[in-house]
Amino acid sequence: MPTHATKAAVISGKETTVPLLPCVSADETLAFYQALGFAVTYQMTKPYLYLALRWSDIELHFGKGAKSLDPSEENSGGCLVMVDSVEPYHRAFTDALRAKYGKVLATGRPRITRFRPGQSRFSLIDPTGNNIIFIQRDEPEDLEYGGSEKLTGLAKAIDNARILREFKNDDKAAARALDIGLARYEAEAPVVDRVRALAARMELAIALGDATTGNALKQQLQTLPLPEEARSQLSDELKAAERLEDWLARTKPEPAPSQRTGPPRRRR
């Protein structure tokens, strides 16, 4: 008699993972993600809450958060989104937010964290305190809080501040790390490291709204004897504060038409 072989089930390797995140307000969650450009693929609020949203190939689902959940702690949930390059995603989201609100949501909650050249990640923090982290695939796997053990002196303090700023989103701690590093090592550090530290600290002063410190650091930078070849090498660092000033300007709402003088300003 003929026999029929049974085809064994196999693991295809084509899995799709969709994070299910807590939500404390359906209206606020929908408003934020739709402002970013996400499309709503499913929406139900009764008899229970369930939302599904999609942007490109990114899918996020939401259910009701626990009563004890405190969004202000910003550790409600989250996921990692691995991409080839983070800068285009950051630009797309900031442009979408500005088109919707007339400003970029850069402080409070919800918000998008800022981006600087060479940075390998940024975050979207939603109204519930979920953290959606976009990470460049070739980002180094090992992080050394306190600064790389391969570095010493001011260079190590600069690396520590970078980790605190970019991976912990802790500008105050990053500023303290640079202040301590400059106090201990500035006199003996190479001029290139001094420029990098002062430029990073000036950027943080602007981010923290400390104009007095920012202006003092800017004047200090301008007096450093920096060779032309080093100035070219450090062009990104020297322009960092200027870029941040522009970024913060974009977080402010456009004035109402009745308040404008002259022709309307072009959006960047």
Side-chain angles (χ1 to χ4, degrees), residues 120-156:
S120 59
R121 60 173 59 193
F122 72 89
S123 294
L124 299 173
I125 294 88
D126 74 11
T128 300
N130 295 306
N131 195 338
I132 314 302
I133 309 173
F134 285 73
I135 301 179
Q136 200 155 297
R137 285 193 176 91
D138 61 359
E139 177 183 86
E141 293 183 3
D142 297 325
L143 295 178
E144 299 182 68
Y145 291 99
S148 172
E149 292 298 329
K150 298 176 183 178
L151 301 173
T152 59
L154 190 55
K156 186 173 182 178

Side-chain angles (χ1 to χ4, degrees), residues 17-19 21 33 36 38 53-62 77-90 93 120-125 130-139:
T17 300
V18 178
L21 305 173
Y33 285 101
L36 291 168
F38 280 75
L53 300 104
R54 176 184 293 163
W55 188 93
S56 186
D57 283 335
I58 302 166
E59 293 195 52
L60 302 175
H61 289 197
F62 298 86
C79 68
L80 309 180
V81 182
M82 311 304 293
V83 298
D84 292 334
S85 176
V86 294
E87 191 275 336
Y89 292 84
H90 191 275
F93 291 140
S120 59
R121 60 173 59 193
F122 72 89
S123 294
L124 299 173
I125 294 88
N130 295 306
N131 195 338
I132 314 302
I133 309 173
F134 285 73
I135 301 179
Q136 200 155 297
R137 285 193 176 91
D138 61 359
E139 177 183 86

Side-chain angles (χ1 to χ4, degrees), residues 162-214:
R162 176 185 67 85
I163 297 298
L164 291 167
R165 180 185 63 232
E166 297 180 10
F167 292 83
K168 297 295 288 183
N169 292 319
D170 194 337
D171 287 345
K172 290 183 179 179
R176 285 196 298 271
L178 286 172
D179 287 341
I180 293 170
L182 284 164
R184 289 180 179 175
Y185 307 114
E186 183 177 11
E188 63 193 53
V191 67
V192 169
D193 284 347
R194 291 169 64 193
V195 169
R196 292 176 59 221
L198 289 171
R201 184 62 182 88
M202 180 170 62
E203 181 188 10
L204 287 163
I206 295 170
L208 293 167
D210 186 354
T212 301
T213 299

Side-chain angles (χ1 to χ4, degrees), residues 20-26 29 48-51 61-71 76-77 126-130:
L20 177 57
L21 305 173
C23 172
V24 296
S25 170
T29 297
Y48 57 88
L49 173 66
Y50 200 92
L51 307 174
H61 289 197
F62 298 86
K64 185 177 181 181
K67 291 182 179 180
S68 59
L69 188 151
D70 183 356
S76 309
D126 74 11
T128 300
N130 295 306

